[in-house]
Amino acid sequence: MIKTLKDIDNLLEKHIEYRKSCLNLIASENYSSDIVRGYLTSDLGNRYGCYDTSDPSNREYTGNKYIHEIEMATQELVKEVFGGKYVDLRPISGHMAGMAVVLGILEPDDLVIEIHLKDWGHGLVDPMRQISHLGKTIRVEFMRFDENNELDVEYLKKMARELRPKLIIFGGSGTLFPEPVREFRELADELGIILAYDASHVTGLIAGRVFPNPLDEGADILFGSTHKSFPGPQGGFVVSNRKDLMEKIGNTLSPSLVTSHHLNRIPAFAASLLEMKEFGHEYGKQIIKNSKALAEAMAKRGFNVLGAKRGYTETHLLLVDVGEYVDQAPGKLLEKAKILCSDDFSGASPQIRVGTPEVTRRGMKEVEMDYIAELFKRVLIDKEDVNQVAKDVEAFVAKYQDLEFAFK
Ligand SMILES: *Cc1c(COP(=O)(O)O)cnc(C)c1O
């Protein structure tokens, strides 16, 4: 119960100590630097900056003189880091950025192809089908993946020809390798399909130039989160070279989806963009080295790490089929050992998704990945007492409380 400020402080202190004592391998989380966190408390967190998409300078509220300047300057930074002529920073999360793209571009009855939840999709469009207009709603079909989480490109081309979707959304929550966006550009032109890329997971890798920028590969729209592999404040954004699409997306964001767009995110995002300009490339390279090292170390210990044929991964995460060792999703068991990662059992066999962004920011390198693989083995293969493993995890993470690739 919260009666005084002290009660809040106590709870927060507990949370911070607890998370400090855990090994965070959640691919969709990160640790932003104190400088970035500091900007979140700025005055902008109490202001309104809503504007009509056709003219951002004409803000609905008064008192927006510098808010406008900060937001526009941050848009310029996004253009510099992600490319693209047009930017919208109003989505307050990656999911909302995706909603704006889908609802802005599609009409009832239009078809979109996305990645299914069971293939580590985000489940972006499918739930939106509950929004119907005169009994009609968006139609959704799904790409096909094999047991190594590899996209069936030929099947997707066939689907595109036969089903004529209006929109294809590449990018999911378990991306191991760059998607074949370039291969689809010509077909998209021929059939009039809009290609969007949901970069929620890989924005940090794109900013660090260690993952192909989908806009360079021919995507019409790039959208995503600012807090996964990209170590910024929680938030979302959309970038594109197409003014027509950005107008539709913007007109959907405002007034349908957002009025206050949580302006304190904007200077914090600007600070993390500057941080990524300075450290992003080295950070991205180390993330991928760590992911590969962890994948190899786990495979060496008998784990079925997906994507072996292609070197396991080219991103900030790896996927491991653990069906041989457990008959349920093992996230909660690992949590007892103070190892945090995501699991999934919506497919044929339970899998874990192990991400390296935060441990990389914490200064871990290839040697530490070998130790982490051993921790997974102790819990999942050796079935060692989780309390014993938890003690070792605590002692291990205590040595990595600094932050690298960050402004200090
Ligand atoms: C996380 C995620 C999102 C949603 O992002 P939020 O910022 O959490 O709203 C959208 N798409 C994909 C593929 C994701 O992994």
Side-chain angles (χ1 to χ4, degrees):
M1 223 204 300
I2 293 175
K3 283 190 174 152
T4 65
L5 297 181
K6 193 81 197 143
D7 299 325
I8 303 173
D9 294 345
N10 282 343
L11 281 171
L12 274 177
E13 193 56 37
K14 279 186 193 161
H15 166 77
I16 290 164
E17 286 308 311
Y18 167 61
R19 290 301 298 254
K20 263 188 182 173
S21 70
C22 295
L23 177 62
N24 191 12
L25 297 160
I26 297 173
S28 44
E29 289 187 354
N30 212 322
Y31 195 91
S32 55
S33 55
D34 288 341
I35 305 251
V36 168
R37 287 164 181 247
Y39 285 111
L40 286 174
T41 64
S42 76
D43 178 69
L44 271 65
N46 289 80
R47 305 297 164 212
Y48 269 91
C50 19
Y51 61 86
D52 187 277
T53 303
S54 63
D55 183 10
S57 70
N58 183 15
R59 304 255 162 171
E60 208 172 295
Y61 279 62
T62 51
N64 267 252
K65 189 170 163 183
Y66 294 106
I67 286 172
H68 177 67
E69 204 173 316
I70 292 167
E71 186 163 344
M72 293 303 114
T74 306
Q75 283 193 1
E76 291 307 311
L77 261 181
V78 172
K79 290 178 199 170
E80 208 183 306
V81 172
F82 289 97
K85 289 202 197 95
Y86 307 97
V87 179
D88 205 313
L89 297 175
R90 287 174 295 178
I92 57 172
S93 69
H95 189 85
M96 186 184 282
M99 284 186 79
V101 169
V102 171
L103 299 175
I105 290 175
L106 301 184
E107 310 272 334
D109 250 359
D110 280 343
L111 176 70
V112 52
I113 299 179
E114 67 167 347
I115 302 173
H116 197 279
L117 269 178
K118 73 173 172 53
D119 299 308
W120 291 99
H122 172 63
L124 176 70
V125 192
D126 201 27
M128 269 187 254
R129 289 186 304 134
Q130 63 187 253
I131 303 171
S132 63
H133 180 62
L134 301 176
K136 284 183 170 182
T137 186
I138 313 163
R139 292 178 298 128
V140 188
E141 293 285 343
F142 303 98
M143 303 175 191
R144 194 159 82 181
F145 290 79
D146 69 9
E147 66 285 358
N148 269 306
N149 202 43
E150 184 129 10
L151 176 68
D152 187 336
V153 179
E154 290 314 310
Y155 183 73
L156 181 58
K157 284 185 179 163
K158 189 164 161 276
M159 281 176 91
R161 287 199 180 282
E162 284 172 9
L163 305 172
R164 298 296 182 105
K166 185 152 176 194
L167 176 68
I168 295 179
I169 307 176
F170 288 103
S173 313
T175 303
L176 297 174
F177 302 100
E179 287 83 349
V181 178
R182 198 181 284 281
E183 257 191 88
F184 274 84
R185 187 62 259 172
E186 208 178 310
L187 191 63
D189 285 337
E190 183 194 323
L191 303 175
I193 300 169
I194 296 162
L195 298 181
Y197 192 93
D198 180 348
S200 293
H201 263 269
V202 293
T203 36
L205 306 179
I206 294 168
R209 292 173 285 107
V210 295
F211 189 92
N213 185 324
L215 291 176
D216 297 340
E217 304 269 292
D220 297 295
I221 303 161
L222 171 78
F223 67 90
S225 314
T226 55
H227 52 268
K228 296 187 180 180
S229 63
F230 191 97
Q234 288 187 323
F237 70 109
V238 187
V239 199
S240 174
N241 288 310
R242 282 185 58 178
K243 193 167 186 221
D244 59 331
L245 297 178
M246 287 302 272
E247 273 170 4
K248 286 184 177 171
I249 294 164
N251 288 336
T252 301
L253 272 167
S254 176
S256 296
L257 297 178
V258 257
T259 42
S260 122
H261 55 283
H262 300 189
L263 290 164
N264 54 335
R265 295 182 295 115
I266 310 285
F269 185 32
S272 41
L273 285 160
L274 289 179
E275 201 172 66
M276 289 298 278
K277 271 177 67 176
E278 190 158 335
F279 307 107
H281 190 55
E282 291 307 312
Y283 162 68
K285 282 197 295 192
Q286 189 61 49
I287 281 187
I288 291 171
K289 278 193 216 162
N290 283 351
S291 298
K292 284 177 176 291
L294 184 53
E296 275 160 26
M298 289 187 76
K300 200 176 77 188
R301 285 168 175 81
F303 282 108
N304 176 13
V305 186
L306 306 196
K309 270 199 312 241
R310 296 176 66 184
Y312 303 110
T313 174
E314 288 294 335
T315 66
H316 62 303
L317 60 86
L318 44 139
L319 298 174
V320 187
D321 182 330
V322 290
E324 202 180 319
Y325 306 108
V326 288
D327 48 20
Q328 55 191 342
K332 296 277 186 274
L333 177 69
L334 288 160
E335 185 183 30
K336 287 187 185 141
K338 295 211 156 177
I339 300 168
L340 309 181
C341 68
S342 308
D343 61 12
D344 181 73
F345 201 175
S346 54
S349 184
Q351 291 185 5
I352 52 172
R353 183 189 68 184
V354 185
T356 55
E358 187 159 324
V359 291
T360 303
R361 297 263 292 169
R362 291 299 191 181
M364 295 189 195
K365 304 227 154 50
E366 290 90 324
V367 254
E368 285 85 2
M369 297 305 117
D370 196 67
Y371 185 74
I372 293 174
E374 186 64 24
L375 292 169
F376 275 110
K377 173 173 176 280
R378 288 170 61 189
V379 176
L380 297 175
I381 301 180
D382 303 341
K383 316 274 191 226
E384 201 180 314
D385 175 20
V386 282
N387 297 314
Q388 187 52 48
V389 181
K391 281 191 193 130
D392 291 344
V393 168
E394 276 183 35
F396 174 61
V397 297
K399 295 185 280 181
Y400 301 93
Q401 296 293 331
D402 289 343
L403 207 60
E404 295 196 2
F405 312 107
F407 289 143
K408 302 219 162 94

Coordinates of all heavy atoms in Angstrom, one line a residue, residues 28 92-98 120-124 170-175 198-201 223-228 234-236 353, ligand 1:
S28 N 14.0 -7.3 -26.0 CA 13.2 -6.1 -26.3 C 13.4 -5.0 -25.2 O 12.7 -4.0 -25.2 CB 11.7 -6.4 -26.4 OG 11.4 -7.3 -25.4
I92 N 3.7 7.1 -29.4 CA 4.3 7.0 -28.1 C 4.9 5.6 -27.8 O 5.5 5.3 -26.8 CB 3.4 7.4 -26.9 CG1 2.1 6.6 -26.9 CG2 3.1 8.9 -27.0 CD1 1.3 6.9 -25.7
S93 N 4.7 4.7 -28.8 CA 5.4 3.4 -28.7 C 5.5 2.8 -30.1 O 4.9 3.3 -31.1 CB 4.5 2.4 -27.8 OG 3.3 2.1 -28.5
G94 N 6.3 1.7 -30.2 CA 6.4 1.0 -31.5 C 5.1 0.5 -32.0 O 4.8 0.5 -33.1
H95 N 4.3 -0.1 -31.0 CA 3.0 -0.6 -31.4 C 2.1 0.4 -32.0 O 1.4 0.2 -33.0 CB 2.4 -1.3 -30.2 CG 1.2 -2.0 -30.5 ND1 1.2 -3.4 -30.8 CD2 -0.2 -1.7 -30.5 CE1 0.0 -3.8 -31.1 NE2 -0.9 -2.8 -30.8
M96 N 2.1 1.6 -31.4 CA 1.3 2.7 -31.9 C 1.8 3.2 -33.2 O 1.0 3.6 -34.1 CB 1.2 3.8 -30.9 CG 0.2 4.9 -31.3 SD 0.2 6.3 -30.3 CE -0.8 5.6 -28.9
A97 N 3.1 3.2 -33.4 CA 3.6 3.5 -34.8 C 3.0 2.6 -35.8 O 2.6 3.0 -36.9 CB 5.1 3.5 -34.7
G98 N 3.0 1.3 -35.5 CA 2.5 0.3 -36.4 C 1.0 0.4 -36.6 O 0.5 0.3 -37.7
W120 N 7.3 -15.7 -33.9 CA 7.9 -14.5 -33.3 C 7.5 -13.2 -34.0 O 8.3 -12.3 -34.1 CB 9.4 -14.6 -33.2 CG 9.9 -15.7 -32.2 CD1 10.3 -17.0 -32.6 CD2 10.0 -15.6 -30.8 NE1 10.6 -17.7 -31.4 CE2 10.4 -16.9 -30.3 CE3 9.7 -14.6 -29.9 CZ2 10.6 -17.1 -29.0 CZ3 9.9 -14.8 -28.5 CH2 10.4 -16.1 -28.1
G121 N 6.2 -13.2 -34.5 CA 5.7 -11.9 -34.9 C 5.3 -11.2 -33.7 O 5.2 -11.7 -32.6
H122 N 4.9 -9.9 -33.9 CA 4.5 -9.1 -32.7 C 3.0 -9.2 -32.5 O 2.5 -8.9 -31.4 CB 4.9 -7.6 -33.0 CG 4.3 -6.7 -31.9 ND1 4.7 -6.8 -30.6 CD2 3.5 -5.7 -32.0 CE1 4.1 -5.8 -29.9 NE2 3.3 -5.1 -30.8
G123 N 2.2 -9.7 -33.5 CA 0.8 -9.6 -33.4 C 0.3 -8.2 -33.5 O -0.4 -7.7 -32.6
L124 N 0.8 -7.5 -34.5 CA 0.4 -6.1 -34.7 C -1.0 -5.9 -35.3 O -1.8 -5.3 -34.7 CB 1.5 -5.4 -35.6 CG 1.2 -4.0 -35.9 CD1 1.4 -3.1 -34.6 CD2 2.2 -3.5 -37.0
F170 N 7.3 -6.5 -43.1 CA 8.5 -7.3 -42.7 C 8.9 -6.9 -41.3 O 8.6 -5.8 -40.8 CB 9.7 -7.1 -43.6 CG 9.5 -7.7 -45.0 CD1 9.1 -6.9 -46.1 CD2 9.6 -9.0 -45.2 CE1 9.0 -7.4 -47.3 CE2 9.5 -9.6 -46.5 CZ 9.1 -8.8 -47.5
G171 N 9.7 -7.8 -40.7 CA 10.3 -7.4 -39.4 C 9.4 -8.0 -38.2 O 8.2 -7.7 -38.2
G172 N 10.0 -8.7 -37.3 CA 9.3 -9.3 -36.2 C 10.1 -9.1 -34.9 O 10.9 -8.3 -34.8
S173 N 9.7 -10.0 -34.0 CA 10.3 -9.9 -32.7 C 11.4 -11.0 -32.5 O 12.0 -11.1 -31.4 CB 9.3 -10.1 -31.6 OG 8.2 -9.2 -31.8
G174 N 11.6 -11.8 -33.6 CA 12.6 -12.8 -33.5 C 13.5 -12.8 -34.7 O 13.9 -13.9 -35.2
T175 N 13.8 -11.6 -35.2 CA 14.6 -11.5 -36.4 C 16.0 -12.0 -36.2 O 16.8 -11.4 -35.4 CB 14.6 -10.0 -36.9 OG1 13.3 -9.6 -37.1 CG2 15.4 -9.9 -38.2
D198 N 8.8 -3.2 -39.9 CA 8.7 -3.0 -38.5 C 10.0 -3.3 -37.8 O 10.4 -4.4 -37.6 CB 7.6 -4.0 -37.9 CG 7.4 -3.8 -36.4 OD1 8.2 -3.1 -35.8 OD2 6.4 -4.4 -35.9
A199 N 10.7 -2.2 -37.6 CA 12.1 -2.3 -37.1 C 12.2 -2.2 -35.6 O 13.3 -2.0 -35.0 CB 13.0 -1.2 -37.7
S200 N 11.1 -2.4 -34.9 CA 11.1 -2.3 -33.4 C 12.3 -2.9 -32.7 O 12.9 -2.3 -31.9 CB 9.8 -2.9 -32.8 OG 8.7 -2.1 -33.2
H201 N 12.6 -4.1 -33.2 CA 13.7 -4.8 -32.5 C 15.1 -4.3 -33.0 O 16.0 -4.3 -32.2 CB 13.6 -6.3 -32.7 CG 13.0 -7.0 -31.5 ND1 13.7 -7.5 -30.5 CD2 11.7 -7.2 -31.2 CE1 12.9 -7.9 -29.6 NE2 11.7 -7.8 -29.9
F223 N 9.2 1.8 -39.4 CA 8.7 2.2 -38.1 C 9.2 1.3 -37.0 O 9.7 0.2 -37.3 CB 7.1 2.3 -38.1 CG 6.5 0.9 -38.2 CD1 6.2 0.2 -37.0 CD2 6.1 0.4 -39.4 CE1 5.5 -1.0 -37.1 CE2 5.5 -0.9 -39.5 CZ 5.2 -1.6 -38.3
G224 N 9.1 1.8 -35.7 CA 9.5 1.0 -34.7 C 9.6 1.6 -33.3 O 9.1 2.8 -33.1
S225 N 10.3 0.9 -32.4 CA 10.4 1.4 -31.0 C 11.8 2.1 -30.9 O 12.7 1.8 -31.7 CB 10.4 0.2 -30.1 OG 9.3 -0.7 -30.3
T226 N 11.9 2.8 -29.8 CA 13.2 3.5 -29.6 C 13.9 3.0 -28.4 O 14.8 3.6 -27.8 CB 12.9 5.0 -29.4 OG1 12.0 5.2 -28.4 CG2 12.4 5.7 -30.7
H227 N 13.5 1.8 -27.9 CA 14.0 1.3 -26.6 C 14.4 -0.2 -26.6 O 14.4 -0.8 -25.5 CB 13.0 1.6 -25.6 CG 11.6 1.0 -26.0 ND1 10.7 1.8 -26.6 CD2 11.1 -0.2 -25.8 CE1 9.6 1.0 -26.9 NE2 9.8 -0.2 -26.4
K228 N 14.6 -0.8 -27.7 CA 14.9 -2.2 -27.7 C 16.4 -2.3 -28.0 O 17.2 -2.0 -27.1 CB 14.1 -3.0 -28.7 CG 12.6 -3.0 -28.2 CD 11.7 -3.8 -29.1 CE 10.2 -3.8 -28.6 NZ 9.3 -4.6 -29.3
Q234 N 11.5 4.8 -23.8 CA 10.4 4.1 -24.5 C 9.7 5.0 -25.4 O 9.3 6.2 -25.0 CB 9.5 3.5 -23.5 CG 10.1 2.3 -22.7 CD 9.2 1.6 -21.8 OE1 8.3 2.2 -21.2 NE2 9.3 0.2 -21.7
G235 N 9.4 4.6 -26.6 CA 8.7 5.4 -27.6 C 8.7 4.8 -29.0 O 9.2 3.7 -29.1
G236 N 8.1 5.5 -29.9 CA 8.1 5.0 -31.3 C 8.3 6.1 -32.3 O 8.2 7.3 -31.9
R353 N 14.0 -16.9 -26.4 CA 14.6 -15.9 -27.2 C 15.6 -15.2 -26.3 O 15.2 -14.6 -25.2 CB 13.6 -14.9 -27.7 CG 14.2 -13.8 -28.6 CD 13.1 -12.8 -28.9 NE 12.8 -12.0 -27.7 CZ 11.8 -11.0 -27.7 NH1 11.1 -10.8 -28.8 NH2 11.6 -10.4 -26.6
Ligands
LIG1 C1 8.1 -4.7 -29.4 C2 7.5 -4.7 -30.8 C3 6.5 -3.8 -31.2 C4 5.9 -2.9 -30.2 O1 6.7 -2.0 -29.7 P1 6.3 -1.2 -28.3 O2 7.3 -0.1 -28.3 O3 6.5 -2.2 -27.2 O4 4.9 -0.7 -28.4 C5 6.1 -3.8 -32.5 N1 6.5 -4.7 -33.4 C6 7.5 -5.6 -33.0 C7 8.0 -6.5 -34.1 C8 8.0 -5.7 -31.7 O5 8.9 -6.6 -31.4

